[in-house]
Amino acid sequence: MAFDKRNLQVLANYCAAAADAMAYTLMRTAYSAFVKETEDFSCTVVTRDGLAFASPRSFGAPWYSGIDYSPVLEMIEFYEPGDVCITNDSYSGNVATHSTDIHIWKPVFYQGEIVCFVVGHIHNTDVGGAVPASLSRSLTEIVQEGIRVPPMKIIRAGKLNEDVAAIMRLNVRAPRQNWGDFNAQIASVNIGERKILEIVDRFGVEQFKEGAYAILDYAEHQARSVIESVPDGEYFFADFADEDGDSPYPCRVALTLRVRGGEVELDYTGSDPQLASSLNMPTGGRERHPLALVGLTYVLYTFYPGMMLNAGTLRVARAVLPPGTVVNCEQPAAVGMRSLTCMLTQIVTFGAFMQAMPQKMPVSAPGGNAIMNIKTNDRNDRSVMASIGPVGGGGGGTPFADGPDGMGGSSAFLKNTPIEVNEVEVPIRFLRYGLQPDTAGAGRYRGGLATVMSFVVSSPNTIVTARNRNRSRFNSWGAQGGQAGSLSSFTKNPGTERAVELGNIDVVTCEPGDVIQVIGPGAGGWGDPFERQPEAVLHDVQRGFLSADKALAQYGVVLAEGRIDEAATRLRRAARQQGAGQAAPFDFGPHRTAYERIWTPARYALLTEFLSQMPVMWRHFLKHKIFAAVQYESASEADMRIEMQQIFAAQRARFAAPSPVVA
């Protein structure tokens, strides 16, 4: 059957509605706030060979819209009606990307034939392991990150595998909550199966199967039309995450974007070696892995908001993911914080596309959204394990509007959990949850303000984790003359004699009366701040978003008695413009600017080449040794090259074990 656009859209709408029904069922029956309120889940319909072609239109995580389930589908020897399969193992097919994500899938049979699969995942608040909530950047091996379930049938022909279920419940901190969420997942795929069978009855089995691939083809056509509008060329961009709580050295994600003839390559060569922390991404080197390409999905949707989001969207792209690096780690690397590194891939994708289309691209959201988790006890000694976040930054400024406050594009699917829900479920008292003034990067169109959260702990031996915190050293960049956003902070007992600045330490033990305060990173601005309308600056001051001092320093707007002094503002702006030169394409903030005077792209290229010759498990160690040896700017590139070669030779001489890998 040949589908015209109208009929294809009708079928796509039916399938999306099935996914919506799955998502709604999951939210209404889940136990944990992180599923039912924050919506960290996915519900998807995939083809018989695993390609996602339908997802919810407004629920859950958009990261998975282009997912390919084929690696795990193929690990099950055979399927029969009533089967439900499960996995959360990041190294079995690279579909589950950290242990807290439980993925399940169910075959949909019609007259004895599999016509598709209904699939989905949820983020469990805890799956055991070394720390409450299972995730911390301090963990070094995946075995520390909780129980791992390889791809298997958890329900066989409608009958639950009680032995596996008992093991899953025994090894977690909140078994009742986890099991309630798992049953909600089962309800979700059962609803999905029922809805798909209704669609097959309506359209016919052959038309349904053919239509699924036609939907993928149409999404590819839409994506290609966007890429064809991007100037052909090669564009490089890099950004940094704070590596862990103790390390002074950052984690670098580098991207070379190549656009040619309606296709795009995202080459992550130059990204750091896999870390002895949990920021590693378990992509398996798959060239269309969602973690590596979600930034591209966001870029495509920015230019084409009506685009279908599915696996067809990603056919225009391929990712180059060097093995043994932070974007393609190898066992037994820890991977729990892979979402922070994934946010970096989004950020560098935006930075690269901004060089190709500077007047059309918005500034990236800062990333580093803290997912706050609490392990405590209530007055009845009942153990409580809950997520109460997120606490993030705003969206970056755009060429035509300010960035959204408090919730940027890289975390838009993580919904706000109401204070009332958190205080009912967790024995804490909130002092503040809102927007933090003076955090937005200045610009003609400013970045979004960061979020602030502070709360008082009520029970002894409470453990707070702040997963995915970042931007405490490297600011979120501004563009086209816009300024970088503010840094984030994490403080125990702020404003007291017992105040402790926690930096990127993300597991904190608290006692009754302790206060935890988290402030997210501000987003960067777009365009020259002195071109911002003075009335917009005044409006921000009136709303408490901006102080009068910042209005003067960042925007050159002089305020007197709550009004704009227009004459003084004109004079101040004119004086600055007389001495102003050409604005740099990006403002990275003072820390990165100083850092890259020493760690230039040329030095990084030499480091990447050297480390790629070393055994994978030596690379992170050697990186730190080399960073400690490189302390000064070099007078010339030739001097720098000589210096680096001498450092490499010294490391080889000192450590005999790391020899070049022989293919």
Side-chain angles (χ1 to χ4, degrees):
M1 173 184 176
F3 284 88
D4 59 29
K5 289 183 180 180
R6 183 185 63 180
N7 289 334
L8 188 63
Q9 188 65 60
V10 170
L11 175 62
N13 288 345
Y14 268 90
C15 294
D20 283 341
M22 294 170 65
Y24 191 74
T25 300
L26 181 59
M27 289 190 298
R28 296 295 291 174
T29 57
Y31 273 45
S32 68
F34 210 57
V35 177
K36 66 188 178 185
E37 296 286 352
T38 310
E39 296 185 25
D40 194 346
F41 66 79
S42 66
C43 297
T44 311
V45 186
V46 306
T47 61
R48 292 173 295 171
D49 52 355
L51 297 175
F53 68 92
S55 300
R57 289 165 287 196
S58 60
F59 302 121
W63 289 24
Y64 297 92
S65 62
I67 199 165
D68 177 2
Y69 266 82
S70 61
V72 292
L73 298 185
E74 294 165 0
M75 291 183 181
I76 306 301
E77 186 175 355
F78 68 94
Y79 294 96
E80 55 188 323
D83 286 349
V84 177
C85 303
I86 187 171
T87 189
N88 74 329
D89 180 28
S90 302
Y91 291 109
S92 295
N94 304 107
V95 170
T97 53
H98 61 183
S99 300
T100 48
D101 282 359
I102 299 286
H103 287 252
I104 69 170
W105 61 98
K106 183 175 189 178
V108 178
F109 281 84
Y110 187 85
Q111 297 179 352
E113 174 190 14
I114 296 177
V115 294
C116 69
F117 288 82
V118 285
V119 308
H121 94 283
I122 61 167
H123 179 100
N124 283 265
T125 304
D126 177 272
V127 290
V131 299
S134 308
L135 308 177
S136 167
R137 49 192 338 139
S138 65
L139 303 182
T140 59
E141 295 180 298
I142 193 169
V143 294
Q144 299 169 326
E145 296 182 325
I147 187 171
R148 295 158 65 194
V149 181
M152 63 170 59
K153 293 184 181 181
I154 184 68
I155 298 176
R156 186 185 299 272
K159 184 176 180 181
L160 177 68
N161 187 330
E162 292 285 358
D163 294 334
V164 174
I167 293 171
M168 291 173 61
R169 289 192 293 263
L170 182 64
N171 287 280
V172 303
R173 293 177 176 84
R176 182 174 177 271
Q177 177 175 272
N178 283 24
W179 198 245
D181 283 348
F182 174 72
N183 283 319
Q185 281 187 281
I186 298 300
S188 172
V189 294
N190 287 343
I191 286 291
E193 177 187 40
R194 192 181 79 192
K195 294 294 184 182
I196 291 297
L197 291 176
E198 291 173 358
I199 294 170
V200 173
D201 281 334
R202 182 181 183 90
F203 286 86
V205 64
E206 295 303 323
Q207 288 80 2
F208 173 80
K209 292 188 296 184
E210 181 182 343
Y213 290 98
I215 290 171
L216 296 174
D217 292 342
Y218 189 53
E220 177 186 358
H221 170 76
Q222 291 176 315
R224 202 169 298 281
S225 70
V226 173
I227 297 300
E228 287 172 348
S229 70
V230 180
D232 284 0
E234 186 169 294
Y235 311 95
F236 176 82
F237 200 83
D239 210 334
F240 301 87
D242 303 327
E243 193 172 287
D244 57 45
D246 299 319
S247 171
Y249 309 125
C251 166
R252 183 194 199 222
V253 172
L255 173 67
T256 300
L257 176 74
R258 300 184 182 96
V259 183
R260 295 189 184 93
E263 295 195 347
V264 61
E265 179 181 80
L266 292 89
D267 186 349
Y268 287 96
T269 300
S271 298
D272 270 1
Q274 68 186 55
L275 307 178
S277 72
S278 63
L279 273 68
N280 306 293
M281 284 170 43
T283 61
R286 291 166 55 198
E287 64 179 21
R288 295 194 178 99
H289 197 286
L291 290 185
L293 295 183
V294 66
L296 176 65
T297 300
Y298 287 179
V299 167
L300 294 172
Y301 202 75
T302 296
F303 290 122
Y304 196 154
M307 177 179 293
M308 293 181 178
L309 297 181
N310 56 46
T313 309
L314 303 183
R315 288 177 180 170
V316 301
R318 65 181 294 269
V320 177
L321 302 163
T325 65
V326 72
V327 295
N328 180 15
C329 62
E330 298 179 1
Q331 293 198 63
V335 298
M337 303 275 281
R338 91 296 185 246
S339 52
L340 174 54
T341 311
C342 179
M343 288 179 189
L344 271 189
T345 70
Q346 299 167 40
I347 290 166
V348 298
T349 302
F350 267 65
F353 272 97
M354 178 163 278
Q355 294 175 63
M357 308 178 79
Q359 299 303 315
K360 294 185 178 181
M361 283 292 298
V363 173
S364 174
N369 305 290
I371 310 299
M372 305 300 296
N373 299 280
I374 294 183
K375 167 69 168 63
T376 188
N377 293 280
D378 64 15
R379 293 183 180 276
N380 298 316
D381 266 350
R382 181 178 65 92
S383 178
V384 177
M385 185 76 231
S387 294
I388 61 169
V391 182
T398 81
F400 53 85
D402 294 344
D405 294 315
M407 188 61 73
S410 61
S411 62
F413 72 89
L414 292 177
K415 307 299 191 296
N416 168 55
T417 302
I419 290 290
E420 295 82 1
V421 172
N422 285 326
E423 289 190 332
V424 165
E425 296 193 355
V426 187
I428 59 175
R429 179 170 58 87
F430 279 86
L431 303 177
R432 188 176 176 204
Y433 190 26
L435 300 176
Q436 180 70 8
D438 288 337
T439 53
R444 182 194 310 169
Y445 298 107
R446 64 167 175 80
L449 276 76
T451 307
V452 56
M453 174 188 284
S454 63
F455 55 87
V456 182
V457 169
S458 301
S459 300
N461 303 314
T462 294
I463 298 177
V464 176
T465 65
R467 175 169 66 93
N468 284 4
R469 277 207 67 256
N470 196 32
R471 297 293 188 193
S472 61
R473 299 172 188 166
F474 289 82
N475 303 74
S476 179
W477 42 269
Q480 304 303 305
Q483 296 177 5
S486 66
L487 294 173
S488 64
S489 67
F490 186 27
T491 311
K492 182 179 178 180
N493 297 315
T496 72
E497 295 179 351
R498 299 181 297 127
V500 179
E501 292 298 330
L502 298 166
N504 278 317
I505 295 171
D506 58 6
V507 180
V508 185
T509 300
C510 301
E511 302 299 340
D514 281 344
V515 174
I516 290 291
Q517 176 181 278
V518 188
I519 301 175
W526 194 101
D528 185 351
F530 273 42
E531 295 177 1
R532 184 169 177 81
Q533 291 294 325
E535 291 77 12
V537 176
L538 174 61
H539 189 46
D540 279 346
V541 173
Q542 291 171 335
R543 291 187 293 176
F545 291 176
L546 185 71
S547 64
D549 289 344
K550 293 287 187 181
L552 179 63
Q554 294 180 343
Y555 295 99
V557 174
V558 181
L559 301 177
E561 298 180 353
R563 295 184 179 183
I564 299 168
D565 185 329
E566 296 184 2
T569 296
R570 282 195 299 271
L571 286 173
R572 187 171 184 87
R573 287 188 164 189
R576 202 246 14 195
Q577 288 168 352
Q578 288 175 2
Q582 181 71 28
F586 299 98
D587 174 29
F588 293 116
H591 187 87
R592 176 170 172 178
T593 300
Y595 173 82
E596 290 191 317
R597 282 198 291 267
I598 297 174
W599 275 101
T600 62
R603 264 202 178 112
Y604 260 113
L606 292 172
L607 176 68
T608 298
E609 181 183 1
F610 171 73
L611 292 177
S612 68
Q613 302 170 34
M614 299 295 111
V616 170
M617 296 306 162
W618 277 85
R619 293 177 187 173
H620 182 253
F621 169 80
L622 288 172
K623 171 198 161 183
H624 278 218
K625 293 296 181 184
I626 294 165
F627 265 64
V630 174
Q631 300 177 16
Y632 306 105
E633 301 176 40
S634 294
S636 68
E637 186 168 331
D639 291 342
M640 176 206 68
R641 182 175 292 274
I642 292 170
E643 175 208 29
M644 292 294 287
Q645 295 298 339
Q646 290 172 342
I647 291 171
F648 297 155
Q651 297 305 317
R652 284 194 181 98
R654 184 178 178 189
F655 302 106
S659 57
V661 177
V662 179

